[in-house]
Amino acid sequence: MKPIIPFALLGALLAVGAANAAVTDPVGYISHTVAGNVAALPTGADTYLGPVLTNSIDFAGQTTVDPSGLTTLTFAGGVPEDLNSASYLEITSETQEGWWSQIVSSTATTIVINDAVPTVGGNVSVAIRRITTIQDFLGANAPGLADDSGTPDEVIIVDPVTQAAKTVVYTLTNGPVEPATWVDFVTYEDESDYPLFPGTGVIIRNYSAGEKTFTSVGDVKTGKTQVDVLLGDNFIAPPYAVGNSFNQMDLATQLLDQSDEVITLNAAQAATTYYSYDDGSTTEMVDFVTYEPKGTVEIKEGTGMIVRRPAGSPSTITFPAQVIAE
């Protein structure tokens, strides 16, 4: 991650009264590379990527009532009154830091969210951001993907709840959507505002031989982030603006021992599978084939991985806070 505004951390917490604060995260950009289909595979070449930079914070404040178990959070004032499902609320303090939920509605003093807040035992600080969309991440076809005038390259999103895959392509003017935009490859409905929730990864499938590069821009999220792990495949992009290893992500201790699989993919289309292993004295990530310790394997910034849970119950991964070094 290369900073656009060099380390704006001194302005990270600008107090506006005791209860509410305007918060600024450092801003940066990430260069992404989409693998080329050098082997001319009829299925194309896949790359796991994700929008790990976020939209700016629109509101930050502290609740005035313990929100444990509630879906309506109360504040002293200053809440934007037009919040809706395009935004999410995230807890930024206490034991549930990184927990988030999509917003339903708001008033000047309340925010209604989809999910009941877990037990926090007191007032908490929160931040409100607009959910990153396909358009935010990929712009007006920033990667230069082949559009639907021929064989289009694909952006594949897997719903972790239903395990259904949605394929999104870039269309010019030969479809029902005007102007050029991102559309569902089956229905041709406009999907430019399709939400990519915190920690969500996607697959970009490139059918051409040459690799493609693009840049994503946004705020560097410096706090913790909770990501759901549901049964089946979870396409996850660790929310870091710099690469982090499995150890740095505390991944081994948060996965089901010898059950969950973590799958990465390189540009040559070779997949590697890892899992968490507890030998009685330590818990670490190991290679699924060789059983060698692999805690130092790094997930490069802006790239993703599949977390596969074949059995068990849903849980969450809490990614530790981003470390920003000057």
Side-chain angles (χ1 to χ4, degrees):
M1 190 282 296
K2 309 169 185 67
I4 292 176
I5 302 176
F7 308 108
L9 293 179
L10 292 178
L13 292 172
L14 303 177
V16 182
N20 299 311
V23 179
T24 302
D25 282 330
V27 179
Y29 69 89
I30 292 176
S31 297
H32 304 267
T33 299
V34 177
N37 188 19
V38 294
L41 299 172
T43 53
D46 289 345
T47 305
Y48 301 162
L49 297 176
V52 299
L53 300 177
T54 70
N55 286 308
S56 300
I57 294 173
D58 294 320
F59 169 79
Q62 186 178 63
T63 59
T64 56
V65 175
D66 181 349
S68 298
L70 303 179
T71 56
T72 299
L73 284 71
T74 304
F75 302 86
V79 177
E81 296 184 51
D82 57 351
L83 297 176
N84 54 37
S85 60
S87 298
Y88 67 99
L89 175 147
E90 180 181 41
I91 294 176
T92 58
S93 68
E94 310 308 325
T95 57
Q96 293 294 338
E97 179 186 355
W99 183 92
W100 62 271
S101 180
Q102 198 168 6
I103 291 175
V104 176
S105 62
S106 66
T107 69
T109 57
T110 63
I111 299 175
V112 180
I113 56 178
N114 270 333
D115 309 288
V117 175
T119 300
V120 291
N123 291 326
V124 295
S125 298
V126 307
I128 306 299
R129 290 184 176 87
R130 187 171 57 81
I131 299 167
T132 299
T133 65
I134 288 285
Q135 181 73 30
D136 291 331
F137 182 41
L138 300 177
N141 196 10
L145 302 182
D147 61 67
D148 69 336
S149 58
T151 300
D153 297 325
E154 302 167 2
V155 180
I156 302 169
I157 309 160
V158 175
D159 186 323
V161 176
T162 65
Q163 292 294 289
K166 173 187 285 291
T167 299
V168 176
V169 301
Y170 196 71
T171 186
L172 295 175
T173 57
N174 61 330
V177 179
E178 299 286 350
T181 191
W182 300 98
V183 299
D184 186 295
F185 194 38
V186 176
T187 66
Y188 263 73
E189 294 179 353
D190 189 338
E191 295 288 7
S192 56
D193 289 335
Y194 190 89
L196 299 176
F197 295 108
T200 297
V202 303
I203 299 172
I204 296 186
R205 181 165 293 165
N206 180 17
Y207 288 95
S208 63
E211 69 178 25
K212 297 174 169 67
T213 60
F214 71 102
T215 300
S216 62
V217 180
D219 282 16
V220 178
K221 188 172 180 297
T222 54
K224 297 178 180 178
T225 303
Q226 284 191 20
V227 177
D228 290 333
V229 179
L230 306 180
L231 288 178
D233 286 350
N234 301 265
F235 284 77
I236 292 175
Y240 296 121
V242 295
N244 273 266
S245 69
F246 290 151
N247 285 343
Q248 290 170 315
M249 292 186 278
D250 294 338
L251 205 56
T253 60
Q254 301 188 77
L255 297 176
L256 298 182
D257 180 42
Q258 300 184 68
S259 175
D260 292 340
E261 300 174 5
V262 176
I263 303 167
T264 62
L265 186 70
N266 65 18
Q269 301 300 284
T272 305
T273 302
Y274 309 89
Y275 67 84
S276 173
Y277 177 66
D278 183 354
D279 66 2
S281 61
T282 185
T283 303
E284 58 187 337
M285 298 299 293
V286 301
D287 187 289
F288 188 74
V289 176
T290 66
Y291 303 104
E292 296 176 348
K294 294 295 182 180
T296 58
V297 167
E298 183 175 286
I299 302 298
K300 183 180 181 295
E301 65 271 14
T303 61
M305 59 190 183
I306 296 174
V307 177
R308 178 172 294 161
R309 175 157 292 178
S313 301
S315 65
T316 60
I317 293 173
T318 298
F319 289 100
Q322 174 73 74
V323 177
I324 302 294
E326 296 192 34

